[in-house]
Amino acid sequence: MSATGDTGVLEPMGTLKGFIEIDRRKQSTRAVDERRHDWREVYLPYATQDLQAQGARCMDCGIPFCHQGCPLGNLIPDWNDLVYRDRWQAAIDRLHKTNNFPEWTGRLCPAPCEGSCVLAIDRDAVTIKSIEAAIVERAFEEGWIRPEPPKTRTGKTVAVVGSGPAGLAAADQLNRAGHQVTVFERSDRIGGLLRYGIPEFKMEKRFLSRRLSILEAEGITFQVNTDVGVTVPADTVRRECDAMLLAGGAGRPRDLTVPGRELRGIHFAMEYLTLQNRRCEGDVISDDEFITAEDKRVVIIGGGDTGADCLGTAHRQGARSIHQFELLPRPPDQRHETNPWPEWPNIFRVSGAHEEGGERVFSVSTDRFTGNEAGQVTALHASEVEMTREDGRVSFTPVPGSAFELEVDLVLLAMGFLGPTRDGLLSQLGVTLTDRGNVSRDANWMTGVAGVFAAGDMQRGQSLIVWAIAEGRSAAAGIDRYLMGETRLPMPLP
């Protein structure tokens, strides 16, 4: 059975054989030669008729494993079928029940739901992510998404530290519950990594600002240039509110401790991406401060999403050459028997940035850097490595005779993050940390400090936008229960 019809009766799927008769169709992109010269989004909108056909591929499974793959528990078969039936307003209502910001996840989430799609057992998954993005864009175009301030206020105040997806999701939920919410952001604009970490070609910032204007109109207060624990004592903020949520992310980048690391021209990925995003926002940045790949030989160390963001950015800045190094071996084209459905498929993927060029090199470890007399990096020295597993532990052994040298002008370190910054906010509050250095919390999302809660990468470690939103929603339910004794807010995660 499928979505509830206007009569309140469950209706059958519109196309029972859609998954057999209709093939998956990849979302179209702008031509590489065109998009490499601007910062607009890579993907083009789906034609409505084509998207409805993709929605018809959903089998409305008796046990929809796409729910298992989605931390938010999105009601995916429901809105797939509603799109097929041309019932877009019902689709956005169903989508908003579980996801505060589908216009962001529909662009940035890697779609673990598609990896868990039952159809993906032996053929291509439903285009869930593209359908999600189309639903919310249609809703904005039709004016269905507009400010809806809470009708009553509880008199309780909540401070949310951090304006990334976890903090914003929690703020939205808490505001809906009637609490007065203030979001503190240390940067000069709201959005966290959504604002300064994600390049424009993956999500134009107008889609971020559009939702923020709605949240502000609904009564949420945003306070920028406020680094709680640095420019403002943490205790001051804590005393002025009834509850506090820590959602500052995992801000400590993983470094590469090899000889020559101190040379000029070696930067963390977020230093590089933030400066370009600021320029895209219209900020004036001097040439001395700006990091550019223009006419340079670039090496990106790290093969994940952040590395791909650096790759696409370097293309648009006019790099002479780009190599992207990954310590791990090249993933297989198809699932390995040790990686069965419905697990996330660890397979070889090609992002929009990879389509634009550059050389991807797997199983490589950087040994050292060398530079010129002026202290500028000029060469990277590396070796091929072989990955081995023993007693569950992974190690990398250099392959004899595989050492090589590569001329380089700019090195970008995109090797992930090690957890939240401990000085300032966390040390002043005295919260307990886990063995991995993340903020510890209980089943109600509260830290060891009464009234102080944690969500997102700050307590989970580096993760996905969909996990951040789910955790923000869950923490909001925990805070609401703490303030009011009970809650009606949903808690997607335990």
Side-chain angles (χ1 to χ4, degrees):
M1 304 301 288
S2 185
T4 303
D6 295 330
T7 62
V9 178
L10 288 175
E11 303 172 347
M13 289 295 290
T15 303
L16 295 177
K17 295 183 180 180
F19 68 98
I20 298 174
E21 299 170 344
I22 303 171
D23 293 329
R24 178 183 171 104
R25 179 175 175 179
K26 182 181 177 182
Q27 188 169 358
S28 299
T29 59
R30 297 193 295 127
V32 169
D33 288 344
E34 172 191 333
R35 70 193 198 222
R36 282 182 53 161
H37 297 289
D38 63 45
W39 297 95
R40 292 187 292 114
E41 286 190 356
V42 168
Y43 289 96
L44 295 169
Y46 250 108
T48 299
Q49 184 175 356
D50 293 338
L51 195 75
Q52 289 178 302
Q54 292 301 305
R57 298 183 70 239
C58 180
M59 298 186 292
D60 192 31
C61 309
I63 300 178
F65 275 82
C66 53
H67 289 191
Q68 177 267 341
C70 178
L72 284 165
N74 281 336
L75 306 172
I76 295 164
D78 287 14
W79 40 261
N80 279 340
D81 190 50
L82 289 166
V83 166
Y84 169 76
R85 296 173 183 278
D86 203 30
R87 295 176 55 196
W88 293 85
Q89 190 165 9
I92 188 59
D93 290 343
R94 202 63 55 92
L95 180 51
H96 268 157
K97 284 182 180 295
T98 55
N99 189 349
N100 303 66
F101 314 122
E103 67 271 32
W104 305 343
T105 55
R107 290 175 167 83
L108 303 176
C109 181
C113 54
E114 294 187 12
S116 296
C117 175
V118 175
L119 191 55
I121 294 175
D122 63 351
R123 59 186 68 193
D124 293 331
V126 175
T127 56
I128 298 169
K129 179 178 174 179
S130 296
I131 294 173
E132 177 184 29
I135 292 170
V136 68
E137 288 309 311
R138 175 69 174 269
F140 271 111
E141 290 170 7
E142 298 287 349
W144 298 329
I145 301 176
R146 52 187 178 271
E148 297 182 7
K151 295 179 180 179
T152 60
R153 289 290 180 182
T154 64
K156 302 292 185 180
T157 58
V158 182
V160 175
V161 182
S163 68
L168 292 174
D172 191 18
Q173 293 293 96
L174 290 164
N175 185 62
R176 292 180 186 183
H179 307 308
Q180 191 63 57
V181 182
T182 300
V183 178
F184 295 91
E185 169 57 49
R186 64 183 177 183
S187 189
D188 60 341
R189 294 184 178 93
I190 295 293
L193 287 183
L194 293 174
R195 176 71 67 183
Y196 288 134
I198 301 297
E200 287 274 338
F201 58 82
K202 285 182 68 175
M203 187 182 78
E204 294 176 23
K205 298 307 176 287
R206 60 192 177 95
F207 297 114
L208 173 59
S209 298
R210 178 180 63 184
R211 178 68 73 164
L212 292 176
S213 66
I214 291 176
L215 298 181
E216 192 167 24
E218 291 177 335
I220 297 175
T221 299
F222 295 112
Q223 190 165 323
V224 298
N225 294 316
T226 306
D227 193 351
V228 180
V230 179
T231 59
V232 177
D235 287 344
T236 299
V237 176
R238 178 68 190 94
R239 285 194 303 269
E240 294 176 352
C241 63
D242 297 301
M244 185 176 188
L245 175 65
L246 309 181
R252 289 191 297 136
R254 188 186 303 276
D255 207 344
L256 184 62
T257 55
V258 298
R261 167 63 180 90
E262 74 285 353
L263 292 167
R264 288 188 293 106
I266 304 173
H267 303 275
F268 288 119
M270 283 303 148
E271 296 178 65
Y272 174 66
L273 295 173
T274 296
L275 288 169
Q276 180 57 63
N277 276 318
R278 285 188 175 279
R279 274 205 171 174
C280 288
E281 291 275 10
D283 292 353
V284 177
I285 302 172
S286 68
D287 291 341
D288 290 340
E289 182 185 359
F290 192 64
I291 303 169
T292 181
E294 183 178 1
D295 200 32
K296 292 179 181 177
R297 297 162 296 190
V298 181
V299 171
I300 301 163
I301 301 179
D305 288 342
T306 303
D309 292 345
C310 291
L311 176 64
T313 300
H315 285 316
R316 285 157 180 76
Q317 290 180 343
R320 187 191 313 179
S321 66
I322 311 174
H323 290 77
Q324 186 176 11
F325 287 176
E326 171 59 74
L327 182 65
L328 297 171
R330 182 188 186 279
D333 292 324
Q334 303 294 330
R335 285 183 184 269
H336 190 269
E337 60 183 9
T338 59
N339 177 215
W341 176 92
E343 291 180 357
W344 171 249
N346 181 27
I347 58 175
F348 182 71
R349 302 173 189 278
V350 178
S351 71
H354 294 127
E355 293 173 348
E356 296 165 358
E359 185 174 346
R360 302 172 73 179
V361 186
F362 294 89
S363 298
V364 169
S365 177
T366 301
D367 301 322
R368 60 190 176 96
F369 300 105
T370 53
N372 57 25
E373 294 180 354
Q376 169 68 37
V377 65
T378 57
L380 178 150
H381 305 262
S383 302
E384 296 178 14
V385 293
E386 181 179 359
M387 186 178 76
T388 58
R389 295 179 184 270
E390 185 175 351
D391 296 330
R393 298 179 65 86
V394 176
S395 61
F396 298 90
T397 305
V399 176
S402 67
F404 66 93
E405 178 181 333
L406 188 66
E407 293 183 334
V408 63
D409 305 300
L410 175 64
V411 178
L412 302 172
L413 306 180
M415 302 181 297
F417 298 86
L418 297 174
T421 302
R422 302 179 186 182
D423 295 337
L425 175 65
L426 300 186
S427 62
Q428 289 180 21
L429 289 173
V431 297
T432 303
L433 302 180
T434 67
D435 293 340
R436 294 192 172 188
N438 301 318
V439 177
S440 178
R441 53 90 176 175
D442 63 17
N444 203 48
W445 297 81
M446 188 160 66
T447 69
V449 179
V452 178
F453 297 74
D457 290 2
M458 183 165 269
Q459 76 86 31
R460 181 182 183 83
Q462 179 187 357
S463 191
L464 308 176
I465 181 175
V466 69
W467 277 103
I469 294 174
E471 292 203 353
R473 289 170 63 88
S474 292
I479 294 170
D480 190 40
R481 183 182 294 112
Y482 169 78
L483 294 175
M484 308 302 292
E486 60 180 3
T487 184
R488 295 184 179 180
L489 294 176
M491 183 178 283
L493 302 173

